Amino acid sequence: MAMKLGKPTRRQFLIAGGAAAGGALILGYAASGPSRRTLADNAAAREGERFVTAWLKIAPDNTVTVYVPHADMGQGTITALAMMAAEELDADWSLVRAEQAPAEPAFANESLGNRFVPGVGVPPMLKGVNAAAWYKVAKFMNMQITGGSMAVRYTGQHGMRVTGAAAKEMLIKAAAARWNCSPSDCTAAMSAVTGPKGETATYGELAAEAAEYSPSANPKFKSRKDYTIVGTPRPRFDIPGKVDGSAKYGVDAHIPGMLYAAVHLGPVSRSTVVSYDASEILSRRGVKKVVEFPAGVAVVADNYWRAKEAALALEVEFDAGEKANVSSETIFAAQAEALSGETEEDKEVGDAASAFAAEGADIVAAEYRVPYLAHACMEPMNCTVWIRDGKADVWVGVQDPLGTRARFADVTGIDFDNVTVHPMLLGGGFGRRIPLREGFFDFPSEIDWAAKIAMEVDAPVKLVYTRENDIQHDAYRPAVTSRIRAVVGADGYPTAYENRYVYKDDPEEAPHIPYGIANQSIRYAEVPTHIPRGPWRSVAHTQHTFFAESFIDELAHRAGKDPLDYRLALLRDKPRHAAVLRLAAEKAGWGRALPQGRHHGLAVQESFGTVVAEVAEISIEDGQPRIHRVTAAVDCGLVIHPDTAAQQIESGIIYGLTAALYGEIAIEDGAVVQTNFTDYEMLHLSECPAIDVHFVGSDAPLGGLGEPATPVVSAAVSNAIFAATGNRIRQLPFKLHDLSQVSDKFAQAAD
């Protein structure tokens, strides 16, 4: 790609890169166009304000605004990242504000580049080159995504800390130049710089002068012992508006003269419209238009109720083709057939094949299944669009505003620069509110439909899904089958481990186990279906933790060993895993007598850089597990915001419990069976267990917190069910199983 180079005003290279984008070399100068800070100033600075770096804006009144390139779905991201920037900036927290970054290329998030090249070290002298290269990639990919528990560990560590420390250096340089002294003679604290003779200047007074310096890509960080903001429970920026009702979600968007759209979608995903008769619908009061789009038909009216009722009444004939013959049973049968045939390599260690082929090998085998799961966000999908004069405004709560802007431009044909996305709050996300793109996800979303509807309407129009639309037309966590085998030695411990599963989904390490087993063979098969798949909270970890931790528990009980001791023996080379297991067990009272009828189960998993162990305490009531307490131990490295961190673990546990107890999207005649919360049940408040969260002090790299607690709880509860009844659960959800009967073998062993 050719770039026009202008005459530089500084000798310093600001943009250069290497293997970030297919091995291409990207070169340029700051003067080749507006600098990134200039673009940020143009996008978000008000009179008298200056962006010192791309994420930090300082006003004359000394307030500091941190622009966060992530959506906050309730996980406290905006506050946590602002804390990381403010800590390195040595800002007065009372003067710090934070906002979600606009959907502008100046705020593309190059910090996520570290997500795609983990473990690749960058020498200090090349960090500016690396960051600039990834900024180019981020702009090219319209990267502003929230997901994968990446915010703190990537944007926080590689973006916010750097920008805060760099801005402080720039402010100190500006003060030193003003006072004609060395920067080393100046100190910064509480949003002010003090000189060698006691001179002082606030950050607001120095901002314009500081903005003339180039930010360092390798600034000096503070020592943890000097932290005053990070690690403390600061009030979150998003809470007051959510309490007093001033917070605005996507569904709250209102534009004068706005119309409303409701959709009639084919019951079978990817079906096509054959015919419909809109004559009666168009005669209804308030109905303005009927719009056909690839997945169905929309009714546009002057209020949502009229649009929804008309859409429900509209008779539409769809063609589902062979997809109408698909069911949950045929999907699992196809998976079983695929796993019996040729598979693709995931991970091979040692020589597992020889171990399984050895004469007299003691082989243990089990097959596990989990169903499709919907996201079930409390706020149904929605998108408000106004297209006029070749331009478009979009009001929506999404996990990738900049990507949504690009997607919208692609769908409508409107130039990217003429599309404005107004990010709103999200009433739940968990992977559901990511714009679907060719080659990443393979099925359009409500954003596509909203765009196509708006192109046919000469007014602002808000598309809102019904709960039925939302549950029956999601991009689901996939249904997955896993077949696991082990060769067990005379001491009861495995010498070989084999896993054959379907779908190699992100993250790639999810099927890998932490246990020290010399021979491992992990392989997968792809089984296409017409059911849309998408990321779900903890992504592939949600399936594989249940599979692997249930199987390891089976081996422990078969060997007659305590499940905790058994795991610890296999984790001699994994001190973080062992530490969280010991802490969770200690805090839960593992091995001590429990009240009559109560039993413990445990599980452990590392995901998104964080290691979580959980102990579930349950009883069996009316044939189903009653979860009384879940004790979690967590090693995420440094804890940025203690209250929010604990809340994220609690949230992940509740989300995972809902799925384990009730979650099932079933397919009949090609269509989703479930329609609403009446048959896609959520965990009720009365069923919520007590949750104890304990963090392990660790120097490990920062880990994520939004997702790592979710996958562990299903295995912990399942293992507790075995301890209570002797029934081994290998298929979720638990509601499919009557646990009122204790297995015969278990009863005999108890006697």
Side-chain angles (χ1 to χ4, degrees):
M1 178 177 65
M3 297 180 63
K4 182 180 180 181
L5 300 181
K7 183 178 179 180
T9 56
R10 302 187 187 100
R11 297 178 64 187
Q12 180 181 12
F13 279 95
L14 292 185
I15 301 171
L25 182 65
I26 306 170
L27 294 173
Y29 292 91
S32 63
S35 75
R36 189 176 180 188
R37 281 179 287 162
T38 299
L39 293 172
D41 280 331
N42 293 338
R46 300 178 182 90
E47 185 175 356
E49 298 175 332
R50 293 294 299 271
F51 273 85
V52 182
T53 68
W55 307 116
L56 285 177
K57 183 179 73 176
I58 300 178
D61 66 359
N62 212 23
T63 57
V64 175
T65 304
V66 182
Y67 282 83
V68 177
H70 286 284
D72 197 322
M73 297 173 279
Q75 73 274 40
T77 294
I78 288 179
T79 303
L81 293 188
M83 290 171 66
M84 298 178 78
E87 183 67 77
E88 297 295 345
L89 182 63
D90 272 317
D92 179 345
W93 181 252
S94 68
L95 300 175
V96 176
R97 310 289 182 264
E99 298 180 17
Q100 183 176 348
E104 294 288 342
F107 298 96
N109 190 0
E110 76 277 10
S111 304
L112 298 184
N114 295 278
R115 163 66 176 87
F116 302 104
V117 285
V120 178
V122 178
M125 72 288 294
L126 293 180
K127 285 190 174 180
V129 171
N130 182 65
W134 274 113
Y135 172 56
K136 284 291 186 182
V137 173
K139 283 209 313 180
F140 178 76
M141 296 177 64
N142 299 296
M143 188 183 296
Q144 213 178 51
I145 198 166
T146 301
S149 291
M150 294 188 289
V152 165
R153 61 190 178 126
Y154 293 118
T155 306
Q157 178 69 6
H158 303 290
M160 291 299 162
R161 288 190 71 200
V162 173
T163 204
K168 182 173 69 174
E169 288 185 359
M170 295 160 68
L171 290 159
I172 289 175
K173 286 180 181 178
R178 177 184 287 193
W179 300 324
N180 195 27
C181 66
S182 170
S184 62
D185 293 330
C186 300
T187 58
M190 295 297 287
S191 292
V193 179
T194 302
K197 299 178 181 179
E199 313 96 318
T200 62
T202 68
Y203 287 175
E205 293 167 343
L206 294 167
E209 298 158 60
E212 295 302 315
Y213 293 91
S214 296
S216 169
N218 190 36
K220 182 180 179 181
F221 289 155
K222 293 174 65 174
S223 172
R224 284 191 187 184
K225 65 181 178 58
D226 297 323
Y227 285 175
T228 60
I229 297 173
V230 166
T232 63
R234 302 288 172 154
R236 279 172 45 176
F237 293 115
D238 60 318
I239 297 300
K242 293 174 179 177
V243 172
D244 65 23
S246 62
K248 299 299 180 185
Y249 291 80
V251 77
D252 295 323
H254 182 79
I255 314 302
M258 182 174 71
L259 299 177
Y260 298 80
V263 293
H264 187 131
L265 302 172
V268 178
S269 181
R270 306 177 200 271
S271 57
T272 57
V273 176
V274 175
S275 64
Y276 62 95
D277 183 356
S279 56
E280 187 275 330
I281 298 302
L282 287 169
S283 68
R284 291 191 175 198
R285 181 184 177 191
V287 172
K288 303 296 184 182
K289 197 176 185 69
V290 173
V291 179
E292 181 181 342
F293 55 95
V297 182
V299 176
V300 180
D302 58 2
N303 68 43
Y304 179 66
W305 177 259
R306 290 171 180 163
K308 179 175 75 74
E309 290 300 300
L312 288 171
L314 186 64
E315 293 186 5
V316 185
E317 180 184 353
F318 292 92
D319 180 11
E322 293 300 315
K323 297 184 288 291
N325 300 322
V326 174
S327 67
S328 295
E329 288 73 23
T330 66
I331 289 171
F332 280 121
Q335 292 185 3
E337 182 179 358
L339 293 180
S340 299
E342 293 294 322
T343 52
E344 299 291 330
E345 180 179 329
D346 181 346
K347 181 178 180 179
E348 296 285 341
V349 177
D351 187 359
S354 296
F356 281 100
E359 184 177 352
D362 184 5
I363 298 175
V364 180
E367 181 175 292
Y368 301 90
R369 288 182 182 177
V370 294
Y372 289 107
L373 292 179
H375 294 82
C377 303
M378 291 306 296
E379 178 195 18
M381 300 299 105
N382 62 85
C383 184
T384 301
V385 183
W386 190 5
I387 296 176
R388 66 209 186 279
D389 302 326
K391 297 183 178 181
D393 284 271
V394 185
W395 292 264
V396 65
V398 287
Q399 291 173 242
D400 188 357
L402 194 55
T404 297
R405 181 176 170 184
R407 177 69 181 182
F408 198 90
D410 289 343
V411 172
T412 61
I414 297 173
D415 188 88
F416 177 87
D417 291 337
N418 289 330
V419 176
T420 301
V421 170
H422 306 270
M424 311 289 283
L425 286 174
L426 293 69
F430 318 115
R432 178 68 173 92
R433 299 181 191 268
I434 297 175
L436 308 186
R437 310 185 196 187
E438 295 297 329
F440 186 34
F441 303 98
D442 63 349
F443 193 68
S445 73
E446 65 286 342
I447 292 171
D448 298 64
W449 309 149
K452 292 182 178 297
I453 294 165
M455 292 171 70
E456 302 294 326
V457 179
D458 189 21
V461 59
K462 177 192 286 187
L463 169 64
V464 182
Y465 271 22
T466 63
R467 183 66 63 189
E468 289 77 12
N469 292 152
D470 205 14
I471 288 179
Q472 295 192 307
H473 296 277
D474 200 344
Y476 305 94
R477 186 201 78 171
V480 175
T481 300
S482 173
R483 291 176 177 171
I484 304 181
R485 299 193 303 164
V487 176
V488 179
D491 59 358
Y493 289 99
T495 60
Y497 175 90
E498 177 187 276
N499 182 8
R500 300 289 182 266
Y501 67 92
V502 295
Y503 302 133
K504 181 59 177 172
D505 285 337
D506 189 64
E508 64 178 15
E509 70 274 10
H512 306 166
I513 57 174
Y515 300 106
I517 302 174
N519 304 290
Q520 299 181 31
S521 175
I522 303 174
R523 302 178 68 88
Y524 67 95
E526 295 292 338
V527 184
T529 75
H530 71 283
I531 307 299
R533 288 160 49 197
W536 190 90
R537 193 171 188 173
S538 78
V539 208
H541 285 289
T542 180
Q543 305 106 349
H544 288 286
T545 305
F546 172 67
F547 302 154
E549 282 300 288
S550 295
F551 187 74
I552 290 295
D553 211 71
E554 293 199 40
L555 296 182
H557 284 284
R558 186 178 185 271
K561 299 180 185 295
D562 178 87
L564 171 63
D565 295 338
Y566 191 84
R567 285 174 169 82
L568 291 174
L570 293 171
L571 291 170
R572 293 188 183 94
D573 297 327
K574 295 287 185 178
R576 293 179 69 201
H577 294 70
V580 295
L581 270 171
R582 290 191 179 98
L583 181 60
E586 174 194 343
K587 296 297 184 181
W590 183 271
R592 296 198 293 268
L594 291 172
Q596 181 68 30
R598 295 197 183 185
H599 301 268
H600 273 156
L602 58 75
V604 64
Q605 175 71 328
E606 179 179 359
S607 60
F608 310 101
T610 293
V611 185
V612 177
E614 293 172 12
V615 176
E617 181 181 324
I618 73 151
S619 62
I620 304 298
E621 299 179 9
D622 299 322
Q624 287 296 302
R626 169 75 180 188
I627 297 89
H628 299 279
R629 182 176 298 275
V630 176
T631 304
V634 182
D635 181 354
C636 62
L638 177 67
V639 177
I640 304 300
H641 191 300
D643 289 352
T644 298
Q647 290 159 8
Q648 282 303 288
I649 298 300
E650 293 165 351
S651 168
I653 288 170
I654 292 171
Y655 201 79
L657 277 177
T658 286
L661 287 165
Y662 304 117
E664 181 186 29
I665 290 292
I667 309 299
E668 289 183 7
D669 300 324
V672 170
V673 174
Q674 287 71 25
T675 61
N676 208 314
F677 290 147
T678 52
D679 53 5
Y680 193 73
E681 193 173 354
M682 301 287 105
L683 188 74
H684 295 186
L685 183 62
S686 61
E687 301 172 289
C688 186
I691 300 175
D692 299 326
V693 181
H694 306 273
F695 289 95
V696 175
S698 168
D699 291 327
L702 288 174
L705 281 173
E707 300 173 276
T710 297
V712 186
V713 71
S714 60
V717 173
S718 179
N719 294 337
I721 289 172
F722 180 83
T725 68
N727 295 301
R728 180 60 66 181
I729 304 298
R730 298 192 181 100
Q731 181 177 358
L732 295 178
F734 298 135
K735 72 177 183 180
L736 300 177
H737 308 275
D738 181 3
L739 302 173
S740 57
Q741 300 297 317
V742 175
S743 73
D744 293 338
K745 290 182 179 179
F746 188 78
Q748 293 169 7
D751 292 341

